[in-house]
Amino acid sequence: MTEINLTGREIIAKAIEFGASLAGIVNIDELKFSPSHTIYGKMPDYSGVGTVDVEGKEKQGQVQWDNRARSAVVIAVAHPEDEPDLDYWVQGLSGGTRGNAKLISVFSRLAGWVEKEKNIGAIKIPYYVEQGGVFVKDAAVLAGLGCIGRNNILVTPEYGPRVRLRVLFLAADLPSTGIKNYDPCGNCEQFCKKACPMGAMGRTVYTAEKMGQDLLPGRNGTYNRKQCNRQMEKDINNGEDVPVPGTDKTGSEVRFCRQCELACPVGLNDK
Ligand code: SF4
Ligand code: SF4
């Protein structure tokens, strides 16, 4: 693997300076062939929370990205347990959540800096994969931020799974920071699985034979996104109206389940 170069190191340092807790770089050619991007075309159609219907757009076996993109910066912002509202989704709030607003602010400053100081184009990415977005957890693994845990979310050594992620494309062919040799799940009692109110990690849903690859949702094919989605729908239905910050309106505030995140012992010395 090519080593991260000076430009990559400078971009990572700037992202941290602008407010990211962690940052890394992933090359687009590696990202294209990451497990979620290659499995995407083989997964059964799904339309749960976090997806969007795109009229007239057929799934073509691979996600379609802006063709100027040659690499991407991945950032994580820590989301400690004592700041639960960072992730409350408020209808009508710019960015949806306070955490998202923070991620957007880091990238807004970083995009300005790379364009001005490095003469590198910064390309914003749509949120939804169906509209040209990326699987951010895969990008984070390739950028060296952590690994995919048994709870199917990114687990970082520094903050465990308690992070929020975002990706920005760059029009420069930078090498990936590289995968970390890191796996806290191997000898773990699987606190995440025990904590899930929906039993979403309880049985095998995907097999290597059927999917044509060994890396599966929840690592071994036991993460059931439909079960998790049922919980998210419940959470949406339990939303309550609150004043929307910065406006004179009210909107529904949704507190999505984080049980599998909060039960994980990794990184509990969150800063
Ligand atoms: S609780 Fe254990 S198995 Fe689950 S993500 Fe954390 S380290 Fe991995
Ligand atoms: S978010 Fe909640 S429902 Fe979904 S897998 Fe984690 S614990 Fe289970």
Side-chain angles (χ1 to χ4, degrees):
M1 179 175 304
T2 323
E3 279 201 8
I4 184 80
N5 62 11
L6 177 62
T7 305
R9 284 201 297 274
E10 287 176 321
I11 291 172
I12 290 169
K14 274 289 159 192
I16 304 285
E17 184 187 318
F18 292 150
S21 308
L22 305 168
I25 304 276
V26 56
N27 188 274
I28 220 75
D29 290 336
E30 279 186 62
L31 187 57
K32 217 179 278 174
F33 296 105
S34 75
S36 299
H37 292 102
T38 48
I39 212 170
Y40 174 69
K42 302 170 199 162
M43 295 284 273
D45 281 341
Y46 172 75
S47 57
V49 178
T51 66
V52 67
D53 288 331
V54 180
E55 205 177 325
K57 186 165 179 182
E58 295 296 319
K59 210 189 236 186
Q60 290 165 357
Q62 203 173 60
V63 287
Q64 309 290 312
W65 294 326
D66 188 309
N67 57 19
R68 291 170 298 163
R70 299 302 317 131
S71 62
V73 196
V74 188
I75 59 168
V77 163
H79 183 187
E81 188 170 2
D82 60 4
E83 276 188 72
D85 60 322
L86 204 64
D87 201 30
Y88 292 167
W89 184 86
V90 180
Q91 186 183 32
L93 177 69
S94 173
T97 66
R98 279 209 306 117
N100 250 343
K102 193 168 175 184
L103 290 159
I104 290 167
S105 147
V106 173
F107 269 158
S108 163
R109 295 181 70 190
L110 189 69
W113 181 83
V114 288
E115 291 188 338
K116 184 161 177 266
E117 302 295 333
K118 294 287 158 193
N119 201 24
I120 293 173
I123 304 147
K124 283 187 192 153
I125 303 179
Y127 177 78
Y128 296 105
V129 169
E130 297 80 356
Q131 292 177 330
V134 306
F135 288 104
V136 292
K137 291 178 289 183
D138 284 35
V141 170
L142 291 168
L145 270 54
C147 69
I148 300 296
R150 287 276 293 105
N151 49 7
N152 207 45
I153 49 184
L154 182 82
V155 184
T156 69
E158 297 87 349
Y159 306 101
R162 292 167 296 282
V163 290
R164 306 271 78 90
L165 299 168
R166 205 167 178 98
V167 180
L168 176 75
F169 280 145
L170 297 173
D173 198 1
L174 302 176
S176 300
T177 326
I179 294 182
K180 264 194 175 77
N181 185 12
Y182 174 67
D183 178 14
C185 300
N187 296 317
C188 176
E189 286 179 39
Q190 301 191 8
F191 302 100
C192 52
K193 177 177 166 182
K194 292 177 192 165
C196 179
M198 301 304 287
M201 291 155 256
R203 66 183 179 86
T204 301
V205 191
Y206 309 100
T207 62
E209 294 71 37
K210 204 166 168 192
M211 292 295 159
Q213 63 187 63
D214 290 337
L215 286 166
L216 300 165
R219 299 165 60 132
N220 56 5
T222 53
Y223 172 74
N224 187 331
R225 62 180 174 171
K226 286 189 181 163
Q227 284 299 99
C228 179
N229 187 64
R230 283 191 188 107
Q231 178 64 45
M232 288 196 229
E233 285 172 352
K234 275 192 200 176
D235 298 337
I236 290 171
N237 290 335
N238 289 335
E240 289 185 6
D241 276 2
V242 296
V244 179
T247 75
D248 56 2
K249 300 198 167 78
T250 59
S252 180
E253 179 182 83
V254 180
R255 302 178 177 193
F256 285 114
C257 176
R258 294 179 70 202
Q259 294 306 314
C260 54
E261 265 182 55
L262 300 177
C264 178
V266 178
L268 273 180
N269 295 324
D270 288 10
K271 296 118 195 162

